[in-house]
Amino acid sequence: MNSSNKVLKINPRDNLIVALSDLKKAEIIIIDNQKIELKSNINSKHKFSVQDLTVGDKVYMYGVIVGKAIKKILKGELINKNNISHYTEAYQLLRHKKKITWTPPNFKNFSNKKFWGYHREDGKVGTENNWLVIPLVFCQNRNIEELKKALLFELGFDNNRKEIFDIKSLIKRFENGATEQDLLNEEILNDQKQTKKNKTFPNVDGIYFLTHDGGCGGATSDSVTLCNLLAGYINNPNVAGATILSLGCQHAQISILERSIKRINPKINKPIIFMEQQKSSSEPEYLAECIKKTFVGLIEANKIERRPAPISKLVIGLECGGSDGFSGISANPVLGLVSDIIVSHGGSAILSEFPELNGVEQELINRCKSLANAKKFKKLMLDYNKKAKALGSGFDSNPSPGNIKDGLITDAIKSAGAAKKGGTSPIVDVLDYTEQVCESGLNLLCTPGNDVESTTALAGSGANLILFTTGLGTPTGNPAVPVLKVSSNTDLFNKMNDIIDFDAGTVIKGVDSIQSCSEKLLDFALEVASGKKEVKARKLGQNDFIPWKRGMSL
């Protein structure tokens, strides 16, 4: 391997270089026709300086400022938390341009491609046809679990998988006097072959049961926000109908949810069942009534079948979690090009995780089609960071220990790579948390960087498919929307193949270009959207749901 494929300079402006493989101290690397002797070992995914830096000098990556030197740094020296700190350039609202010039990518081969989806009366198309069972308050979580046990297997939505872990063998060995070491050496993984039970409702892809800790006991505004989020889930094109469980006395009243639903879709025509426990004579009778009404609702949901739909009906959520030093140069740019292709064909994309846009604000402001959206984005970013700082944190605290260990030393480095998921298209709308996607094109959605909170929000704002990049591995899924996992490196794809769907590490290995990998990913995504492929998160039952309370979550 020569210097050209051992390292990567992403942008001509950069003075940080990415190691694509492990590099040794004293190794000579040639960059821009200059020889650089490495001053230390540089692990794959980490960065080194291409020039001597003094205290206060700015460091650049992806063509933007991602930090500043807090110690003298020699050319060829490893960049780490001890010698650079988080720093970003100031941003401002520039004079608004009436028209933004954008040249869409030329992918005519996707012009006539379709996916097979569920067409709703409002013109939207779902990639799945799901029924949701939702509590308005945490007091109903147990009832949700009881309904789950009662409904899933009998209706054929649980594959009756054999027990994965043979706990009985451990008990038997323990009772027979086995030592602790013997128990640790015992093989308890069972064969995981499944026996299928035919679904009663074949056109219903799934029944999903949400639980949460909200709805009462906090600020009234939290309950209103929760109802807005739940309304978004009910309105999502992947949702055929819903059963809503209420206690009766909580802050998140049925009337608030009904208003939220009518506000976002006055003409909604889906079966929505409201059940209030305090109006029932007993819990068993209450649950029996929930079961009967849900069963009747499922009959209605089962009447719809998949039909062809153009790519313009896709609304993709763009997410990352467990990012590594390769995420910003493989998986995220691949998603960015997929986003651009979908947008160029009339579809929509949603870029979220506002703490992970810190440092690229100016670029995004410049891409806003309207001054109003640019102002809204700036205000949301400033207010969010101000609140985080008031609670003892800030955007600079965003990188996790795993991020830092794998080369994402500052939030600005992480953000510059994370923003690549949004491609290059103009920004048509800026949405606050729970607001709905109404415009075709790229939308910005204010959410935390927390994987599950952000994924939860994407589905609540209208995404019908979520593309999720990861460099370290994460098992996140969603109850309303399929989550397609994309690895930034092939080692992860091979190691955690049970949770990863697609490998973008082929870009790092030189097997694929960003373009060829994007085409493969979009073809894969269309098969998922058509119900022809099941994402790993669905197979594993990963249906995470965490509403954001607008507190200190990054």
Side-chain angles (χ1 to χ4, degrees):
M1 183 182 283
N2 57 40
S3 294
S4 62
N5 52 26
K6 281 186 173 184
V7 299
L8 176 66
K9 184 176 184 179
I10 299 171
N11 186 283
R13 195 182 184 192
D14 293 354
N15 54 14
L16 296 189
I17 304 299
V18 186
L20 300 181
S21 61
D22 291 345
L23 306 174
K24 299 296 183 182
K25 181 179 180 180
E27 189 171 346
I28 302 297
I29 301 294
I30 300 175
I31 299 170
D32 296 337
N33 296 319
Q34 68 165 320
K35 292 182 178 180
I36 300 174
E37 181 180 344
L38 298 181
K39 302 298 187 293
S40 54
N41 292 333
I42 312 290
N43 290 335
S44 174
K45 306 179 186 179
H46 285 261
K47 291 86 184 168
F48 62 90
S49 177
V50 77
Q51 64 188 63
D52 292 335
L53 299 171
T54 60
V55 174
D57 282 351
K58 297 169 184 175
V59 292
Y60 292 82
M61 193 172 166
Y62 300 99
V64 298
I65 299 170
V66 294
K68 63 180 178 181
I70 56 175
K71 287 183 178 180
K72 183 179 179 180
I73 302 172
L74 298 177
K75 181 167 61 176
E77 187 176 345
L78 172 70
I79 297 298
N80 55 41
K81 292 289 288 184
N82 296 321
N83 56 24
I84 72 167
S85 65
H86 175 80
Y87 183 78
T88 61
E89 63 182 325
Y91 55 95
Q92 58 183 330
L93 294 173
L94 302 178
R95 186 174 175 180
H96 179 57
K97 299 176 182 178
K98 291 184 178 180
K99 187 175 182 180
I100 296 176
T101 302
W102 180 60
T103 303
N106 185 13
F107 285 90
K108 293 182 179 178
N109 51 323
F110 284 99
S111 297
N112 296 319
K113 288 197 176 183
K114 300 182 182 299
F115 70 97
W116 288 74
Y118 297 96
H119 294 248
R120 307 297 178 191
E121 289 189 7
D122 60 5
K124 297 177 182 177
V125 178
T127 64
E128 291 183 331
N129 193 39
N130 298 320
W131 189 276
L132 300 183
V133 184
I134 306 172
L136 269 178
V137 62
F138 57 81
C139 304
Q140 291 298 299
N141 283 348
R142 177 185 172 277
N143 288 332
I144 294 289
E145 294 298 334
E146 290 300 311
L147 291 176
K148 184 177 181 179
K149 288 188 287 186
L151 288 169
L152 279 190
F153 177 68
E154 291 303 328
L155 295 180
F157 290 98
D158 186 343
N159 287 328
N160 190 29
R161 186 169 62 185
K162 294 180 180 178
E163 291 296 327
I164 298 176
F165 305 107
D166 184 8
I167 308 299
K168 290 179 180 178
S169 70
L170 284 180
I171 297 172
K172 186 175 181 181
R173 292 292 306 276
F174 168 69
E175 291 175 342
N176 290 336
T179 66
E180 292 179 1
Q181 190 58 50
D182 289 337
L183 295 174
L184 291 173
N185 291 334
E186 182 76 5
E187 178 58 61
I188 64 167
L189 275 175
N190 280 326
D191 181 7
Q192 295 180 38
K193 291 182 180 178
Q194 298 174 341
T195 57
K196 294 277 187 179
K197 179 180 174 67
N198 290 331
K199 288 198 301 185
T200 306
F201 303 109
N203 292 329
V204 177
D205 291 296
I207 308 176
Y208 297 104
F209 301 79
L210 282 60
T211 58
H212 57 81
D213 63 358
C216 202
T220 302
S221 60
D222 288 337
S223 293
V224 173
T225 299
L226 174 65
C227 286
N228 290 340
L229 177 69
L230 297 180
Y233 268 70
I234 294 166
N235 190 55
N236 189 291
N238 287 15
V239 175
T243 303
I244 312 299
L245 272 63
S246 167
L247 179 60
C249 58
Q250 73 278 348
H251 283 146
Q253 288 285 300
I254 289 175
S255 59
I256 298 175
L257 178 58
E258 288 178 320
R259 284 198 299 272
S260 295
I261 294 170
K262 290 297 182 182
R263 178 177 52 80
I264 63 175
N265 190 350
K267 297 181 180 180
I268 193 167
N269 186 23
K270 294 180 180 181
I272 307 171
I273 300 161
F274 294 98
M275 300 295 300
E276 189 168 303
Q277 186 172 6
Q278 289 174 345
K279 290 182 178 180
S280 66
S281 57
S282 72
E283 189 171 279
E285 288 192 8
Y286 172 65
L287 292 175
E289 195 69 15
C290 290
I291 289 170
K292 288 186 289 184
K293 290 186 176 181
T294 299
F295 191 90
V296 172
L298 288 166
I299 294 173
E300 187 68 24
N302 193 55
K303 293 177 181 179
I304 187 171
E305 297 181 353
R306 290 184 183 269
R307 292 189 287 114
I311 291 179
S312 61
K313 294 298 182 180
L314 283 178
V315 182
I316 58 166
L318 305 166
E319 182 68 31
C320 60
S323 299
D324 72 345
F326 284 164
S327 293
I329 56 179
S330 61
N332 290 347
V334 166
L335 256 64
L337 188 49
V338 169
S339 171
D340 284 348
I341 297 169
I342 290 173
V343 166
S344 70
H345 286 84
S348 300
I350 315 172
L351 180 63
S352 57
E353 302 177 289
F354 272 27
E356 296 178 14
L357 301 179
N358 182 218
V360 293
E361 293 96 339
Q362 192 65 64
E363 177 201 338
L364 296 174
I365 284 171
N366 295 346
R367 286 167 59 186
C368 287
K369 289 189 74 173
S370 74
L371 181 59
N373 278 326
K375 287 180 176 179
K376 185 175 181 180
F377 173 62
K378 180 180 178 181
K379 185 177 188 306
L380 286 170
M381 289 292 284
L382 291 173
D383 288 350
Y384 193 160
N385 198 23
K386 182 179 178 180
K387 186 169 186 178
K389 286 182 177 179
L391 294 170
S393 187
F395 286 168
D396 59 313
S397 301
N398 179 256
S400 69
N403 295 149
I404 295 168
K405 182 181 177 182
D406 259 42
L408 302 178
I409 304 301
T410 69
D411 184 57
I413 292 177
K414 183 178 180 181
S415 295
K420 296 298 179 185
K421 301 191 302 293
T424 62
S425 67
I427 293 164
V428 298
D429 208 356
V430 176
L431 310 172
D432 199 358
Y433 183 63
T434 77
E435 289 183 339
Q436 301 293 294
V437 171
C438 299
E439 301 286 340
S440 297
L442 178 63
N443 296 255
L444 301 183
L445 173 64
C446 184
T447 77
N450 176 294
D451 305 351
V452 179
E453 287 177 323
S454 181
T455 307
T456 297
L458 287 167
S461 287
N464 57 9
L465 179 65
I466 295 173
L467 304 182
F468 189 122
T469 68
T470 182
L472 303 175
T474 175
T476 305
N478 183 267
V481 179
V483 178
L484 195 167
K485 298 285 179 43
V486 180
S487 68
S488 70
N489 62 89
T490 302
D491 287 344
L492 174 66
F493 180 74
N494 293 332
K495 182 177 70 172
M496 302 184 73
N497 190 253
D498 59 325
I499 68 170
I500 306 294
D501 299 286
F502 185 89
D503 179 24
T506 53
V507 172
I508 300 296
K509 291 186 173 294
V511 175
D512 275 312
S513 64
I514 296 292
Q515 177 174 328
S516 62
C517 194
S518 299
E519 292 184 84
K520 291 175 184 177
L521 176 57
L522 184 48
D523 279 331
F524 190 105
L526 291 174
E527 290 193 77
V528 171
S530 300
K532 296 177 181 178
K533 283 189 176 179
E534 185 179 30
V535 295
K536 302 289 178 64
R538 282 281 183 255
K539 292 180 181 179
L540 294 171
Q542 293 160 345
N543 303 309
D544 306 293
F545 178 80
I546 302 180
W548 182 31
K549 292 184 179 179
R550 299 302 285 256
M552 208 292 291
S553 179
L554 296 173

